[in-house]
Amino acid sequence: MLNDLGSWTAILLGGLVVTIQLAAISLVLSVLLSATIAIMSISPWRLLRIFAGLYVDIFRSIPILALAISAYFGLGSTLARLGITSFGTAVGVLTLIEGAYLAELYRGSLESIRTPQWDAGASLGLSWTSTLRHVILPQALPPAIPITLNMTIAIIKDSSLVSLIAVNEITNVANQLIAVTFQPVEIYALVALLYLALILPLSQASRVIEGYVARRLGIGPRTERERALRQLTSASELKVG
Amino acid sequence: MLTIATYGSAVPLITVGPGANQIGGLSGAWANAFAADYGLQVKLLQTTFSSSLLAVQQGKADIGAPVYYNPNRAKSYYYTYPVDIESLVVFTNKSFSYSGPSSLTGHKVATVTGYVWTPYFQKFFGSSLQLYSSATDAATALKNGQAEAYLDADINYFNAPLSLSPDIALHPVSANDFGIPGGIIANESYWIVSCSEKELANEMNAERDRLEANGKWQTFLGQTGAPAGTPIKSPPLQSPAEFC
Amino acid sequence: MTILDLLSGLLPYILPGALVTLEISIGAWLVSASLGLVLALIRDLRNPVLQLPAVVSIEVVRALPQLVILYIIFFGLGSAINVDSLTAAIVGLGISDAVFSAEYYRAGFLTVAATQRDAGLSIGLSPLQVSRFIIIPQTIPFIVPPLLNSFVGLLKSATLAAAVGAPELLYGARNYMETTGQVGPPALVIMAIYILATVPLTRVVRRLERRIRSTTRV
């Protein structure tokens, strides 16, 4: 029995590597995409704001599984011609959808930096983009770190969905193993342990950094009540689950 | 109530839908006749191939849509009489020059999780094998060009999406291709029940005897929905070696 | 194929699926709203016996993907007791969402000033009574937006239920795709349905949030 658990874990670890690769690449692309969209949504150019708003509204309304299946099987011939595999499709889908949620969160972060900061930049003769670069972004960065860490956790969890478009991440590998061994209880227990091992350290780190940012840098809500109110009134920005 | 675990349509063997509890095709006709005779309502548990196996084992479904036999499975399932007999083939585009298993190495190959042949394919192709949860997904990948070959039973040729594409070629598989022993290249498909439901299997077999006797089985063979002249082979009526 | 042909062919496949999606979302939402409240109360009342198991379960569930939770309930738990697809979907999605609802409830409790709780305790109410009669009623307007938002999230998460055999909306569309070989058009229809269903609800949530933000004295 112990032998079996050992060999199963070895097989599952192969899947976990793919999960990590998938999540890492999607995360990097999401951060780049979301930062761009967030900046667009607070920019003074109306067309950019509208585009950013549309992107966020659309991609936060589509379930990941619906987009993944539609893209992979619907656009399959196009994807094949471009040489995009199921892994690539998975990265694209995760980036687009998680990116939309992250963009909203980044936007909230940017908007929480109050007007006096922008005015200060303007009074120094800085253009909008310069003010953004030198005054606003440095202040928005520290709170963005725990936000991004939390989104990393969400991406890792959502990566399990692409098992249904033949990406060999850990959930898919587990299902393949169960199809041969007929032992779902033990194997899903191992899968759960592996996800926990990956995610719990990240959520702990996120909490520590959030606390550090709040205490040392004095950014963020001051009282518990303020924090609670902020949390309750920004639920629509978060991805639940 | 007769709960049937299904894993998608496989014309002419089995068709699922369009209603949530409608089943057809050759084995569907058998199941419907059985249910009618015993006054049972058919309910479908529509899921993936490997999940349908688990569903029967765990009692979520009374009976599972036809699958092949292997001694390992027989420890967990009791088999009925066979429905048909099918052969493993390699589906490729007509433009692909297939000359045997070695011509597939280095190419994108698709098959389905949970088939009796899958462990052999995994050993032969390693991690480059594309494993889908359903035959339709794997066949779609072939049609789209995301896979260059699709490994499955010959009857899948009559299912969408392959049936809608004129460019698909079938290549037969010989013994020891992909490391597969000759004995499991051609397989009968059987209904399965969990080991605690042998009575149900025996009743299904009795129903099949009746259908053969009153000639309805011949009618079903003709009505299966496959193109005219499609050979469906109905093998002799005997269950395989049962281990539970 | 005209749009009308497509829709009339697609409808018999997705209509029952849409109903199942609603069943799953509403059921899971009820589980999440009630279980979340229970979890929040356990943490709030600091009951020594229940604290540790509650905190540990919340942390564990938060770290697991929803799909894995569904598989664990349907195939893992389902090997011991008989769990059908719909129940597994409702319970699984409900539990995974409850840990987030619990956070919102706790935030809601915190918005009620500590003085309110002290006042209640000083007139002799037990901690549980204080929660029930003083804290919870005042948190209700605050937790409406997050709870509504979690319903929207569950509408989307219901697509996962197909993986454990519940024939919801996406699954119905897939059946159509498999039978007719047409993938693109039905896919667009499905995504349009989700957008039309969730965007208005999200707008409502955002408007409620803005009203609370502007009218609440911090």
Side-chain angles (χ1 to χ4, degrees), chain A residues 71-81 84 86 89 163-168 172 175-176 178-180 182-184, chain B residues 50 53-54 57-58 72-73 76-77 108 113-114 119 122 127 129-133 137-138 140-141 143-146:
Chain A
Y72 189 68
F73 294 112
L75 301 173
S77 28
T78 320
L79 294 173
R81 245 178 295 140
I84 301 178
S86 55
T89 314
S163 61
L164 296 165
I165 58 168
V167 176
N168 281 329
N172 196 356
N175 285 333
Q176 292 163 25
I178 291 172
V180 188
F182 297 116
Q183 307 271 41
Chain B
S50 38
L53 287 168
L54 267 177
Q57 187 193 32
Q58 296 179 341
N72 193 29
R73 278 188 193 161
S76 313
Y77 304 100
K108 296 174 279 187
T113 306
Q122 279 175 303
S127 56
L129 182 65
Q130 295 176 15
L131 278 167
Y132 293 89
S133 53
D137 289 351
T140 309
K143 178 164 159 272
N144 285 336
Q146 291 155 303

Side-chain angles (χ1 to χ4, degrees), chain A residues 119-130:
Chain A
D119 294 341
S123 72
L124 289 173
L126 293 173
S127 70
W128 184 85
T129 36
S130 293

Side-chain angles (χ1 to χ4, degrees), chain B residues 190-209:
Chain B
Y190 310 84
W191 289 100
I192 47 167
V193 300
S194 76
C195 288
S196 50
E197 298 270 348
K198 294 182 199 165
E199 260 316 293
L200 180 56
N202 293 330
E203 300 288 341
M204 282 285 281
N205 290 343
E207 179 67 31
R208 174 67 184 275
D209 286 329

Side-chain angles (χ1 to χ4, degrees), chain A residues 10-30:
Chain A
I11 296 176
L12 290 173
L13 280 174
L16 190 64
V17 167
V18 176
T19 297
I20 294 176
Q21 288 170 330
L22 188 56
I25 299 177
S26 305
L27 177 66
V28 169
L29 292 175
S30 287

Side-chain angles (χ1 to χ4, degrees), chain A residues 60-112:
Chain A
R60 288 187 346 149
S61 314
I62 303 179
I64 294 181
L65 203 51
L67 186 60
I69 289 181
S70 307
Y72 189 68
F73 294 112
L75 301 173
S77 28
T78 320
L79 294 173
R81 245 178 295 140
L82 297 171
I84 301 178
T85 61
S86 55
F87 186 90
T89 314
V91 169
V93 169
L94 284 174
T95 303
L96 282 172
I97 294 187
E98 306 283 1
Y101 288 92
L102 192 58
E104 271 297 280
L105 290 168
Y106 281 165
R107 181 171 75 100
S109 217
L110 284 171
E111 282 181 349
S112 68

Side-chain angles (χ1 to χ4, degrees), chain A:
Chain A
M1 179 59 172
L2 226 57
N3 248 344
D4 281 338
L5 287 178
S7 60
W8 293 340
T9 310
I11 296 176
L12 290 173
L13 280 174
L16 190 64
V17 167
V18 176
T19 297
I20 294 176
Q21 288 170 330
L22 188 56
I25 299 177
S26 305
L27 177 66
V28 169
L29 292 175
S30 287
V31 169
L32 292 171
L33 177 63
S34 310
T36 314
I37 298 279
I39 292 173
M40 278 166 69
S41 58
I42 61 164
S43 71
W45 295 284
R46 192 149 182 264
L47 218 58
L48 290 182
R49 289 203 307 272
I50 292 177
F51 177 79
L54 272 175
Y55 165 76
V56 168
D57 270 349
I58 290 178
F59 283 99
R60 288 187 346 149
S61 314
I62 303 179
I64 294 181
L65 203 51
L67 186 60
I69 289 181
S70 307
Y72 189 68
F73 294 112
L75 301 173
S77 28
T78 320
L79 294 173
R81 245 178 295 140
L82 297 171
I84 301 178
T85 61
S86 55
F87 186 90
T89 314
V91 169
V93 169
L94 284 174
T95 303
L96 282 172
I97 294 187
E98 306 283 1
Y101 288 92
L102 192 58
E104 271 297 280
L105 290 168
Y106 281 165
R107 181 171 75 100
S109 217
L110 284 171
E111 282 181 349
S112 68
I113 297 172
R114 322 234 175 162
T115 348
Q117 295 289 322
W118 288 95
D119 294 341
S123 72
L124 289 173
L126 293 173
S127 70
W128 184 85
T129 36
S130 293
T131 315
L132 181 72
R133 243 187 85 196
H134 299 287
V135 180
I136 307 296
L137 281 181
Q139 293 185 60
L141 227 50
I145 297 178
I147 288 176
T148 313
L149 270 174
N150 286 334
M151 189 48 70
T152 312
I153 295 173
I155 292 179
I156 294 175
K157 294 199 302 185
D158 289 335
S159 69
S160 61
L161 294 179
V162 304
S163 61
L164 296 165
I165 58 168
V167 176
N168 281 329
E169 49 68 67
I170 189 173
T171 306
N172 196 356
V173 171
N175 285 333
Q176 292 163 25
L177 203 49
I178 291 172
V180 188
T181 61
F182 297 116
Q183 307 271 41
V185 177
E186 293 85 344
I187 293 177
Y188 283 131
L190 287 174
V191 170
L193 283 171
L194 287 171
Y195 271 114
L196 286 173
L198 190 57
I199 290 180
L200 285 180
L202 285 173
S203 57
Q204 198 51 22
S206 167
R207 241 173 290 194
V208 165
I209 295 179
E210 203 174 347
Y212 181 83
V213 164
R215 278 178 289 113
R216 291 294 301 274
L217 303 181
I219 299 177
R222 279 170 211 267
T223 64
E224 273 223 325
R225 186 159 187 266
E226 238 186 81
R227 173 140 40 95
L229 268 169
R230 167 89 80 80
Q231 194 180 357
L232 289 171
T233 53
S234 57
S236 65
E237 297 169 10
L238 290 172
K239 184 174 198 317
V240 181

Side-chain angles (χ1 to χ4, degrees), chain B residues 128-211:
Chain B
S128 63
L129 182 65
Q130 295 176 15
L131 278 167
Y132 293 89
S133 53
S134 75
T136 312
D137 289 351
T140 309
L142 175 67
K143 178 164 159 272
N144 285 336
Q146 291 155 303
E148 292 165 279
Y150 160 45
L151 306 162
D152 205 330
D154 47 7
I155 59 163
N156 286 284
Y157 188 62
F158 306 109
N159 288 302
L162 292 185
S163 58
L164 304 165
S165 172
D167 296 318
I168 303 290
L170 274 109
H171 310 282
V173 170
S174 330
N176 294 317
D177 281 357
F178 309 106
I180 300 180
I184 64 169
I185 296 206
N187 290 284
E188 291 90 343
S189 65
Y190 310 84
W191 289 100
I192 47 167
V193 300
S194 76
C195 288
S196 50
E197 298 270 348
K198 294 182 199 165
E199 260 316 293
L200 180 56
N202 293 330
E203 300 288 341
M204 282 285 281
N205 290 343
E207 179 67 31
R208 174 67 184 275
D209 286 329
R210 280 196 289 274
L211 292 172

